[in-house]
Amino acid sequence: MHYSTKRAREIERTSPFDDQRPGTNGLRRKTAVFEGKKNYLQNYIQSVLSSIDLRDRQGCTMVVGSDGRYFSRAATEITVQMAAANGIGRLVIGHNGLLSTPAVSCIIRKIKAIGGIILTASHNPGGPGGDFGVKFNVANGGPSPDTVMEKIAQVSRTLEEYAICPDLRIDLARLGRHDFDLENKFKPFRVEIVDSVELYLNLLRTIFDFNAIKSLLTGPEQLKIRIDAMNGVMGLYVRRIMCDELGAPANAAVNCVPMEDFGGRPPEPNLTYAAPLVDAMKGGDIGFGAAFDADGDRYMILGENGFFVNPSDSLAVMAANLSCIPYFRQLGLKGFARSMATSTALDRVAKALKVALYETPTGWRFFGNLMDSGRCSLCGEESFGTSSDHIREKDGLWSVLVWLSMMAARKQGVDEIVKDHWAKLGRNYFCRFDYEGVDPRAAFYLMKDLEGVITDKAFPSQKFAVGNTVYSVERADNFEYVDPVDGTVVRNQGLRIVFTDASRLVFRLSGSGGGAGATVRIYAESLERDPERQNRETQAVLGPLIAIALKISDIHERTGRRSPTVIT
């Protein structure tokens, strides 16, 4: 389709904002900030576009998608108008503006785009009172590295104008090609509205044995499953891939209509917010359950009777069973990577399989270099994100298909697979305490003072007695990462204490919140090798470690809290 009417390009004056440095996952703020502060979105989109060198930007291709949350449509329109005015030659956008984050990564790589803009705040709440966000993924399909984030931040601090074609309108519901003539020095501008699922589905077909999964879901001993899309973008993918392609019955897919407010609950796949799924699984008739966040990069796995698979365990169990997947049988295993805060369960799998293990800071961008250089096949974080080198993002649906492939190959249920893994390699009891909305100044000094305590020369010889258990410190530090590919050094990535029995405590300030205040996270981990002691309550096992964490950080006294906001 061709539009010959010329669209005017305008330069609008603006003033910079001092809070537009992207965090771990792009820029997230309250929706009211994006919607209500004049030019807030425009400034950030201009900062992203200006971070791309003009010579690279002119005539290039970019991908745009959203998780469908409130304000996405208006933000997509502004993004299209500004891309046109900034010399982008072609935009590829998901049908109705919708694309999961893994699908955006897949499309960027497939069509060799310069990058992609994803309008999402991931698992944060939607609606007018919720959060909104903008992520910029680069040419490898992964999140912006630190150098790009710094460039965006620098532009945002001095921005005085932005370019836009305000009369340019696009029908996001109309699949196909739309060409526009612009009144500027740039070439014609093209927008392609594409099927949101197709390219991503084609990629998955090359990775998995779809026939084996289909037999599991439709055969005589059919596995009953329930997949909760939490009213985010994943509804499109669950229906098309799990039901239409792999044969799961339509009633196995729940909350699959994308909603601007995600049905009034945070689209976060954990035991708290996916409680209806947990309750449905407790009946015992359903053998496999999964839930996804709003943009489809995070997931949760449940087995029969609501058996919960800790994300760190999920990563380790997948790693130990990748031979079930044709993709890995063909390509072999290059190495594994995990974020520092993720449990060390993966390390023991790497050791058993004799492959390299990389420990990185939190943030998916750190895995990109490892994968691009051929060092890493599988990576993951404790925050419900796992993926492989098929793309450069977390991938929830890919993770679910790995689990179904394991179940098909091993002919075992979720709990049997996990318990077998623990019996062979030990169980890492693991939990995370989040203190959200903490006064940033209090959080900063808490971490600073705690660093002083744990880096004192006398600290490694300390012993902590809690009840009958004595924990001896082996080492403690502020985690520092040296990228094995390019030698980049990243400091101050979290405080960690490792005990002589392989237990660990980790303290981090999170960089991905959308609301006011800081989030302090405490992670506790304890290894249990004895199969007779692997079925205890996580909180009971970790109680002594958590008591040590509370004592040495003095977090309740210093933040005025009596307990964490969330425990996972």
Side-chain angles (χ1 to χ4, degrees), residues 49 52 57-62 83-84 86-91 189:
L49 295 171
I52 306 167
R57 202 192 319 154
Q58 285 188 342
C60 76
T61 297
M62 284 187 77
N86 277 276
I88 304 296
R90 171 187 175 217
L91 284 186
F189 175 63

Side-chain angles (χ1 to χ4, degrees), residues 11 29 51 61 81 84 126 134 179 248 267 291 340 348 525 565 567:
I11 302 295
R29 295 288 178 264
S51 74
T61 297
Q81 292 168 347
V134 182
D179 289 325
M340 182 271 284
R348 288 195 309 288
E525 171 183 5
T565 321
I567 301 174

Side-chain angles (χ1 to χ4, degrees), residues 7 23 98 152 187 223 235 250 256 271 285 297 362 365 387 392 407 414 426 498 518 532 543 552 564:
R7 300 308 200 274
L98 299 172
I152 293 168
K187 290 174 185 171
L223 174 71
C256 282
L271 296 172
D285 337 324
D297 60 359
T362 295
R365 62 193 184 278
S387 194
R392 295 295 180 270
M407 294 172 79
V414 172
V498 181
E532 298 297 314
I552 63 172

Side-chain angles (χ1 to χ4, degrees), residues 64-231:
V64 177
S66 82
D67 63 13
R69 68 182 55 232
Y70 176 79
F71 191 57
S72 290
R73 280 188 173 262
T76 301
E77 184 166 278
I78 289 166
T79 301
V80 172
Q81 292 168 347
M82 292 185 66
N86 277 276
I88 304 296
R90 171 187 175 217
L91 284 186
V92 174
I93 307 177
H95 190 218
N96 294 316
L98 299 172
L99 280 175
S100 73
T101 289
V104 171
S105 184
C106 165
I107 295 169
I108 290 171
R109 293 171 66 79
K110 179 76 177 170
I111 66 173
K112 296 185 167 48
I114 201 165
I117 289 173
I118 314 172
L119 304 168
T120 177
S122 189
H123 55 288
N124 291 25
D131 296 335
F132 192 77
V134 182
K135 282 173 39 167
F136 177 53
N137 282 30
V138 291
N140 74 347
S144 301
D146 287 350
T147 48
V148 174
M149 290 200 291
E150 189 49 50
K151 227 172 178 182
I152 293 168
Q154 279 175 3
V155 176
S156 76
R157 286 193 289 266
T158 55
L159 195 71
E160 293 179 349
E161 60 185 34
Y162 64 85
I164 192 165
C165 295
D167 301 329
L168 196 155
R169 297 279 182 275
I170 187 77
D171 183 356
L172 295 172
R174 210 169 191 175
L175 287 167
R177 204 174 89 187
H178 309 255
D179 289 325
F180 300 87
D181 287 330
L182 306 177
E183 281 182 0
N184 63 25
K185 59 192 175 194
F186 303 122
K187 290 174 185 171
F189 175 63
R190 173 176 294 175
V191 175
E192 291 175 28
I193 308 297
V194 299
D195 184 292
S196 304
V197 183
E198 195 169 2
L199 280 176
Y200 174 71
L201 169 56
N202 288 340
L203 176 62
L204 293 180
R205 283 191 184 113
T206 68
I207 295 169
F208 296 100
D209 180 347
F210 270 25
N211 288 332
I213 300 172
K214 191 167 186 174
S215 298
L216 180 73
L217 301 182
T218 60
E221 294 176 30
Q222 177 186 344
L223 174 71
K224 215 170 163 193
I225 69 170
R226 190 177 183 92
I227 312 289
D228 189 340
M230 299 193 86
N231 297 115

Side-chain angles (χ1 to χ4, degrees), residues 269 298-299 308-313 315 338-343 362-364 367 379-386 394 430-434 504 506 508 510 521-523 568:
R298 297 175 189 231
Y299 70 102
F308 170 67
V309 184
N310 178 294
S312 294
D313 277 343
L315 173 63
R338 63 166 175 83
S339 64
M340 182 271 284
T342 302
S343 96
T362 295
W364 207 260
F367 297 132
C379 55
E381 298 185 326
E382 49 69 39
S383 53
F384 295 86
T386 310
K394 301 185 271 274
F430 181 87
C431 78
R432 182 179 102 190
F433 281 21
D434 289 3
R504 293 195 316 159
V506 172
R508 271 189 66 243
S510 171
R521 293 194 163 132
I522 301 177
Y523 308 79
T568 50

